């Protein structure tokens, strides 16, 4: 029956139009599925911490007032600190969602300021040293060009995102190297290498998709929102930079950001 319907439609428009029509419908369906998955993901990601927070609030409420079994102060403080952790998780997710939505819905092009890379990388290093809390050996090799044309806040967020992933996916005692080098073609490269858990090759092409995670539990435990690399991807596109990922499961990963020569500035 489908064959006949196509024939009838194809009579007035010709075979080329049918092909175009089919492709458009498939594309629309794909977008609709992506939108539905995204809404389902966001709802799920918010629902879990919210349920936990609600549970703690109810436990504490039931422990107040005449006749209630009183909750010892140290136990109450423990519940409150767990609830605050979950609220922090929801806050990070909402912050990342807002950042992503601005980037995805046509944010103005990044301001053409000259970013001081030396200062930026020192800040990123400090940030990840704090995140690691002494559990990793973190090194900075900073021999690249002094300046980069683009948005300081966007470039900082991309560099910090990759560096914090290295910390979060590297067991204690591991080595993390942040490197900024000039390239022979006049461009420059920021590379983060870790000696962490690594990634199996089939996952690599999908890592920049929203909410794509190799191990959901591990990402959440380490404070991940599943949106970090999606944000990095958009920021890099806006700076005409490329992301190259190399990894060996169980041995570690390197995330390279390659900036073209026209982004490099002297100071
Ligand atoms: P998340 O918040 O889950 O870390 P990201 O978008 O930053 O989200 O990363 C997506 C997924 O890519 C992570 O869940 C993790 O599985 C994988 N990943 C990212 N960076 C690394 C790394 N340095 N080593 C191993 N896996 C990584």
């Amino acid at each position: 029956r489908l064959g006949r319907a196509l024939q009838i439609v194809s009579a007035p428009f010709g075979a080329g139009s049918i092909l175009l029509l089919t492709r458009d419908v498939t594309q629309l369906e794909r977008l609709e599925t992506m939108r539905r998955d995204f809404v389902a993901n966001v709802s799920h990601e918010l629902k879990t911490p919210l349920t936990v927070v609600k549970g703690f609030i109810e436990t504490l409420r039931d422990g107040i007032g005449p006749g209630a079994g009183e909750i010892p102060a140290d136990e109450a403080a423990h519940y409150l600190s767990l609830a605050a952790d979950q609220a922090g998780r929801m806050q990070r997710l909402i912050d990342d969602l807002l950042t992503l939505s601005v980037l995805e819905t046509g944010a103005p092009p990044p301001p053409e300021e000259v970013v001081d890379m030396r200062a930026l990388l020192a800040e990123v290093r400090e940030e990840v040293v704090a995140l690691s809390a002494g559990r990793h050996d973190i090194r900075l090799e900073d021999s690249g060009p002094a300046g980069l044309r683009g948005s300081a806040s966007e470039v900082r967020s991309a560099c910090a995102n990759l560096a914090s992933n290295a910390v979060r996916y590297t067991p204690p005692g591991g080595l993390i190297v942040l490197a900024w080098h000039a390239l022979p073609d006049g461009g420059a490269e920021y590379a983060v290498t870790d000696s962490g858990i690594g990634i199996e090759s089939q996952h690599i092409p999908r890592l920049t998709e929203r909410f794509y995670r190799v191990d959901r539990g591990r990402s959440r435990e380490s404070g991940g929102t599943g949106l970090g690399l999606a944000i990095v991807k958009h920021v890099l596109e806006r700076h005409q930079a490329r992301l190259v990922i190399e990894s060996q499961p169980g041995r570690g990963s390197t995330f390279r950001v390659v900036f073209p020569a026209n982004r490099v500035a002297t100071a």
Side-chain angles (χ1 to χ4, degrees):
R1 196 175 286 167
L2 187 65
R4 201 174 321 139
L6 283 180
Q7 255 174 10
I8 292 165
V9 183
S10 77
F13 303 113
S17 337
I18 293 293
L19 210 70
L20 207 68
L21 200 72
T22 318
R23 211 185 299 141
D24 278 356
V25 171
T26 317
Q27 173 82 345
L28 275 178
E29 273 172 5
R30 231 193 28 234
L31 284 175
E32 180 54 22
T33 309
M34 272 172 66
R35 194 194 62 79
R36 239 183 284 129
D37 285 354
F38 182 67
V39 172
N41 271 319
V42 172
S43 313
H44 180 74
E45 295 292 332
L46 285 173
K47 199 173 166 185
T48 313
L50 198 56
T51 307
V52 176
V53 169
K54 190 160 169 267
F56 287 138
I57 291 174
E58 283 166 0
T59 307
L60 291 169
R61 182 199 57 199
D62 295 346
I64 295 172
E70 194 147 305
I71 298 177
D74 56 344
E75 207 175 302
H78 178 64
Y79 287 147
L80 287 172
S81 123
L82 291 175
D85 288 348
Q86 296 299 319
R89 192 172 138 190
M90 289 189 274
Q91 196 168 33
R92 277 198 304 281
L93 180 65
I94 289 166
D95 286 346
D96 278 0
L97 282 169
L98 288 174
T99 304
L100 200 57
S101 109
V102 170
L103 289 172
E104 283 184 349
T105 51
E112 283 288 312
E113 51 187 321
V114 174
V115 183
D116 176 349
M117 285 305 282
R118 207 127 290 149
L120 184 146
L121 292 168
E123 277 171 29
V124 168
R125 182 176 186 276
E126 242 170 68
E127 208 176 294
V128 287
V129 163
L131 180 67
S132 156
R135 286 171 296 148
H136 306 89
D137 178 4
I138 300 177
R139 299 185 197 165
L140 174 61
E141 291 170 12
D142 172 9
S143 67
L148 190 77
R149 247 180 275 281
S151 152
S153 62
E154 289 184 21
V155 172
R156 187 185 303 109
S157 101
C159 293
N161 236 305
L162 297 176
S164 71
N165 277 355
V167 169
R168 294 192 298 109
Y169 298 105
T170 301
L175 172 68
I176 292 158
V177 181
L178 314 179
W180 173 239
H181 292 302
L183 294 173
D185 67 357
E189 177 187 274
Y190 168 74
V192 180
T193 301
D194 66 57
S195 63
I197 59 172
I199 307 153
E200 287 187 36
S201 59
Q202 75 267 24
H203 296 292
I204 291 179
R206 299 195 60 190
L207 294 183
T208 58
E209 287 176 20
R210 302 176 298 194
F211 294 117
Y212 189 87
R213 292 142 151 159
V214 176
D215 178 342
R216 212 159 260 276
R218 181 157 196 144
S219 157
R220 289 223 188 91
E221 238 170 65
S222 65
T225 60
L227 298 175
L229 291 180
I231 293 173
V232 168
K233 184 186 103 170
H234 281 285
V235 167
L236 299 189
E237 271 170 11
R238 286 159 60 75
H239 291 79
Q240 293 83 43
R242 276 186 307 126
L243 179 65
V244 182
I245 306 171
E246 293 150 20
S247 187
Q248 277 188 294
R251 308 198 67 153
S253 315
T254 299
F255 285 69
R256 283 176 212 288
V257 177
V258 181
F259 291 97
N262 63 1
R263 284 278 162 194
V264 169
T266 40

